[in-house]
């Protein structure tokens, strides 16, 4: 099988937290081996350990977004490397990881998004996902 685009997966700082595209959740495509793989797009991948399909943009269901963030926080606070991925690794996964950073490191969501962009410059969560993240963070 020929890959139409390279596998992309970036570590967010020195944390055991990674943001990637769907191909990063395929066996043998990335290092390290992930303990947790949180899939946010509509198709589970072979390495998926938690499946939270999210709409990318308008129509995102808050309850689904909140569940994805809760899972990511629990995994991140546990042991092992955590991959959070969506289809391309730009919007859904960036929003969830930024929410995780905001919650676990007591950051403003906007600052957390900027930090994510330091490691994955094309990260750009869509407004409905940012709104869901800010609502979730405000309730913590």
């Amino acid at each position: 099988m020929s890959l139409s685009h390279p596998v992309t997966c970036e570590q967010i700082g020195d944390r055991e937290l990674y943001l990637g595209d769907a191909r990063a959740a395929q066996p043998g495509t990335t290092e390290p081996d992930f303990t947790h793989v949180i899939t946010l797009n509509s198709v589970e991948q072979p390495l998926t350990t938690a499946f939270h399909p999210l709409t990318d943009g308008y129509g995102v269901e808050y309850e689904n977004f909140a569940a994805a963030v809760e899972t990511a926080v629990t995994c991140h606070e546990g042991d092992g490397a955590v991959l959070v991925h969506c289809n391309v690794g730009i919007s859904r996964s960036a929003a969830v990881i930024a929410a995780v950073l905001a919650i676990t490191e007591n950051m403003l969501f906007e600052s957390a998004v900027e930090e994510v962009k330091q490691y994955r410059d094309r990260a750009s969560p869509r407004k409905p996902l940012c709104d869901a993240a800010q609502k979730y963070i405000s309730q913590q």
Side-chain angles (χ1 to χ4, degrees), residues 14-31:
D14 60 358
R15 303 165 185 91
E16 288 293 308
L17 188 60
Y18 297 79
L19 190 159
D21 64 18
R23 295 180 191 271
Q26 299 285 327
T29 59
T30 59
E31 291 291 330

Side-chain angles (χ1 to χ4, degrees), residues 52-70:
H52 295 283
L54 297 178
T55 300
D56 189 11
Y58 292 100
V60 65
E61 294 180 6
Y62 175 75
E63 294 77 20
N64 293 347
F65 184 86
V69 173
E70 287 172 12

Side-chain angles (χ1 to χ4, degrees), residues 4-17:
S4 60
H5 60 83
V7 173
T8 58
C9 177
E10 278 82 34
Q11 185 173 10
I12 306 303
D14 60 358
R15 303 165 185 91
E16 288 293 308
L17 188 60

Side-chain angles (χ1 to χ4, degrees), residues 20-23 25 38-45 48 50-56 84-89 92-93:
D21 64 18
R23 295 180 191 271
I38 302 169
T39 298
L40 304 176
N41 60 345
S42 61
V43 179
E44 280 190 72
Q45 299 301 311
T48 298
F51 184 52
H52 295 283
L54 297 178
T55 300
D56 189 11
V84 179
H85 81 88
C86 52
N87 193 42
V88 185
R92 292 169 282 190
S93 53

